Amino acid sequence: MKIFKIKLSSTLYRLLVLTFFSFTACNEPEKEKELKPNIIYILADDLGYGELGVYGQEKIQTPNIDALAANGMLFTQHYAGAPVCAPSRYMLMTGKHAGHARIRGNDEWASRGDVWDYEKAINDANLEGQRPILNSTVTLGEILQGQGYKTAIVGKWGLGAPLTDGIPNKNGFDFFYGYNCQRQAHQLYPKHLWRNQEKEWLDNPIVSPGKDNKLAEGADSLLLANYQLWEQNDYAPEKMQREVLNFIEAHKEQPFFMYYASPLPHLPLQVPHPYVEKYVKIFGDEKPYNGAAYFPNRYPHAAYAGMISYLDDQVGEIVSKLKDLDLYENTIIIFTSDNGPSYTGGVDAEFFNSAGPFPNSYGRTKGFTYEGGIRVPMIASWPGRIKPGSKTDHVSAFWDVLPTFGELLAIEVPENIDGKSFLPTLLNQGTQQKHEFLYWEFPSYQGQQAVRMGDWKGIRKDIFKGNMTVELYDLKTDPGESNDLASENPEVVAQIEAIMKNEHTPADIDRFKIKQLGDN
């Protein structure tokens, strides 16, 4: 059966697509249903390309994630959907790039009131969460639901406030546990998390990002006891991990999709103290981070490394659970990150070489469309199907994930997407379609566009300042994007400018409009 390209309202189109998926699932032979693999997609938050051992990290220990690569495939040229949280997650869920997306940046939906007041948002759900995706949006979760999968998101959502149609339970997920709101995730010992559509209150006092970001006046910054305010009782990543393992256990008899959107290692620097102690022994004493944008920390290097090791241990626990339940052989695990490493709040990208082969400085990591902001680690493991220890330089992006799972399950996916399945690469079977180009736009940090075309990378920055000049880099010889070749290759620049023009469609939301590109 084919999904025809006919002009329908978005709501009707969505209804027809989901009806088709459900019909297909109901009419499959039982034998085919039994062969459906479980899918676990682990999305780290702000983890840099160079922050895993298997990608060259020398200071942070990640044996469990490295083992995924040893047992599966490592991607060297995989890209996030955007250089910040919410839009990157939208591209993952919808298979669209930023030029065709509704959510193109972080949008705190400030017209509702004082949304940045952490305590007010705890007590008033109307102030929590980001601007919602449309309920007519066809998501990856809904597509998999239509194929008989039990679906869950555990971690950080960021695509629709609690009292809207943008919540996970209305957009393809049977179960949700975690942060609805990105702002609330600026505290890893929060006052509450969401269990589906109900708040779950935690045993933590309210300690507010932005308000409680400094040591007490006159406090000795070298005394560890003075940092106790920021290490409370219920650690959100620990509670989330428990829900992931419980979900796997509860649905071991049917195919499941677990979207594990971990808040680690996103700031603030918070992790149970044994993980800090481990790295204090390795790194030795260090200068404290006294707080400003985020909470202070006595040992910022050790805490950051500890957060990544904590996430690594959680990956190991998931693999062990799958093996204990005899599910490991029939489970695809994908591990990646939503964008490049941070540049503030005590994170020291230079110390860890967080971006790997790319510059670690501000303007080249999170928030920017240079390689360090959007090229991310990705590892895929599926015992018996993906070759152990394999590596690929196939160029892919978040919007390829949806069609990849569609091809895996031999189902049609919406035709108005930008992704191409990378299943032939995963399985080393069939012909791998390649992108002619990848396109990004980002209506923040002064406005940006970027195009990856073969080995060429074109970047346009400071658009809001009236700059329409394209920088051009040859990533094959210059992955650090240090040598602008635009003046020597005007024909390539012209091609990239044409792509930038053709792939941009006017944004629906005022906050994401770029007037210099014709939006009004």
Side-chain angles (χ1 to χ4, degrees):
M1 186 182 293
K2 215 46 184 158
I3 299 175
F4 297 100
K5 289 184 179 178
I6 54 179
K7 203 166 186 181
L8 299 171
S9 72
S10 59
T11 301
L12 180 56
Y13 174 78
R14 182 172 184 262
L15 179 61
L16 289 174
V17 170
L18 296 180
T19 300
F20 166 76
F21 291 147
S22 299
F23 176 82
T24 304
C26 292
N27 286 275
E28 286 179 333
E30 288 300 315
K31 186 176 180 180
E32 289 185 15
K33 284 186 181 181
E34 292 171 4
L35 295 176
K36 288 177 181 173
N38 305 307
I39 301 169
I40 299 178
Y41 188 94
I42 304 172
L43 184 67
D45 199 339
D46 290 4
L47 181 79
Y49 185 87
E51 291 185 329
L52 302 175
V54 74
Y55 280 87
Q57 177 56 223
E58 296 180 350
K59 292 184 170 73
I60 305 170
Q61 298 171 17
T62 57
N64 296 296
I65 299 171
D66 296 347
L68 279 184
N71 295 318
M73 178 177 288
L74 183 145
F75 282 65
T76 63
Q77 301 198 73
H78 187 66
Y79 288 91
V84 297
C85 294
S88 201
R89 293 155 199 263
Y90 183 88
M91 313 313 168
L92 171 67
M93 287 292 103
T94 64
K96 295 183 179 183
H97 67 49
H100 299 145
R102 175 173 171 80
I103 304 300
R104 304 184 185 191
N106 289 336
D107 183 359
E108 305 311 323
W109 206 10
S111 60
R112 294 175 294 169
D114 196 359
V115 298
W116 279 101
D117 188 306
Y118 179 80
E119 190 167 345
K120 285 183 180 178
I122 288 173
N123 296 312
D124 183 359
N126 289 293
L127 297 177
E128 191 179 344
Q130 284 62 53
R131 187 181 295 274
I133 61 175
L134 295 176
N135 191 239
S136 57
T137 306
V138 178
T139 69
L140 175 59
E142 287 171 324
I143 289 172
L144 293 174
Q145 274 183 333
Q147 290 300 302
Y149 278 74
K150 276 294 182 181
T151 60
I153 169 175
V154 172
K156 187 170 85 173
W157 176 239
L159 293 176
L163 306 180
T164 71
D165 284 339
I167 61 174
N169 298 110
K170 294 184 179 181
N171 288 278
F173 292 94
D174 299 304
F175 177 72
F176 167 53
Y177 184 81
Y179 297 103
N180 172 286
C181 177
Q182 294 174 171
R183 299 185 307 278
Q184 293 289 313
H186 289 185
Q187 163 64 287
L188 294 179
Y189 292 94
K191 187 62 183 175
H192 76 281
L193 294 171
W194 288 88
R195 183 179 296 277
N196 296 316
Q197 299 182 54
E198 300 292 331
K199 281 184 180 178
E200 179 175 288
W201 298 103
L202 306 185
D203 183 21
N204 295 322
I206 295 178
V207 180
S208 300
K211 177 182 175 184
D212 300 314
N213 283 10
K214 291 284 188 178
L215 289 169
E217 188 173 351
D220 184 354
S221 66
L222 298 180
L223 187 61
L224 186 61
N226 288 332
Y227 295 85
Q228 289 181 350
L229 176 65
W230 299 283
E231 185 175 341
Q232 290 102 45
N233 300 313
D234 286 338
Y235 188 53
E238 179 183 4
K239 296 185 73 65
M240 292 169 183
Q241 178 77 351
R242 192 178 308 151
E243 296 298 331
V244 169
L245 299 178
N246 288 344
F247 184 87
I248 293 172
E249 177 87 40
H251 300 288
K252 60 188 176 184
E253 302 297 335
Q254 62 190 122
F256 61 80
F257 170 48
M258 167 55 68
Y259 170 31
Y260 192 0
S262 171
L264 297 174
H266 193 294
L267 292 162
L269 295 171
Q270 292 176 308
V271 68
H273 201 66
Y275 284 84
V276 180
E277 290 177 336
K278 170 183 176 177
Y279 283 102
V280 170
K281 292 177 181 176
I282 296 172
F283 301 156
D285 198 13
E286 57 176 300
K287 181 181 177 181
Y289 169 64
N290 288 331
Y294 290 91
F295 299 145
N297 194 282
R298 173 63 184 87
Y299 299 105
H301 289 160
Y304 189 70
M307 292 168 76
I308 294 175
S309 282
Y310 192 97
L311 175 60
D312 181 78
D313 280 352
Q314 291 184 320
V315 172
E317 289 174 357
I318 290 170
V319 172
S320 293
K321 170 65 78 171
L322 293 171
K323 290 179 177 179
D324 289 345
L325 297 175
D326 199 26
L327 299 175
Y328 181 61
E329 302 292 325
N330 193 41
T331 301
I332 300 173
I333 303 174
I334 292 180
F335 180 94
T336 187
S337 175
D338 65 344
N339 48 250
S342 188
Y343 48 79
T344 187
V347 170
D348 189 346
E350 294 285 356
F351 177 79
F352 290 109
N353 192 27
S354 295
F358 317 119
N360 289 292
S361 55
Y362 175 79
R364 291 301 187 107
T365 54
K366 179 180 178 178
F368 296 89
T369 55
Y370 288 101
E371 293 293 283
I374 56 176
R375 199 188 297 197
V376 291
M378 191 183 67
I379 296 164
S381 170
W382 188 8
R385 301 299 300 277
I386 296 175
K387 183 180 178 181
S390 55
K391 181 185 291 188
T392 178
D393 62 0
H394 173 65
V395 178
S396 56
F398 272 23
W399 46 90
D400 296 330
V401 173
L402 187 152
T404 297
F405 291 146
E407 183 176 6
L408 172 69
L409 299 174
I411 59 172
E412 295 284 346
V413 297
E415 292 187 348
N416 62 339
I417 63 173
D418 300 297
K420 295 181 183 295
S421 167
F422 51 77
L423 188 68
T425 293
L426 289 179
L427 304 183
N428 194 26
Q429 295 176 357
T431 302
Q432 176 62 64
Q433 287 188 321
K434 296 183 179 181
H435 286 280
E436 293 180 24
F437 58 83
L438 298 176
Y439 172 78
W440 296 265
E441 65 179 64
F442 185 46
S444 296
Y445 294 77
Q446 297 303 321
Q448 302 166 57
Q449 287 178 292
V451 170
R452 170 80 192 260
M453 183 180 70
D455 289 326
W456 292 112
K457 173 83 174 292
I459 293 176
R460 182 184 276 157
K461 63 184 182 183
D462 295 332
I463 297 173
F464 294 159
K465 295 180 180 180
N467 177 54
M468 299 300 284
T469 302
V470 171
E471 301 170 8
L472 183 68
Y473 303 99
D474 181 354
L475 296 180
K476 187 173 184 178
T477 60
D478 180 27
E481 298 164 298
S482 61
N483 185 20
D484 184 357
L485 301 176
S487 62
E488 302 169 29
N489 297 275
E491 72 289 346
V492 178
V493 171
Q495 286 180 270
I496 286 176
E497 288 175 333
I499 292 170
M500 289 178 170
K501 180 179 180 179
N502 293 335
E503 294 305 306
H504 170 78
T505 58
D508 293 336
I509 298 169
D510 286 343
R511 182 177 176 82
F512 304 146
K513 290 181 178 179
I514 303 177
K515 293 182 179 179
Q516 292 81 357
L517 301 182
D519 295 358
N520 51 42

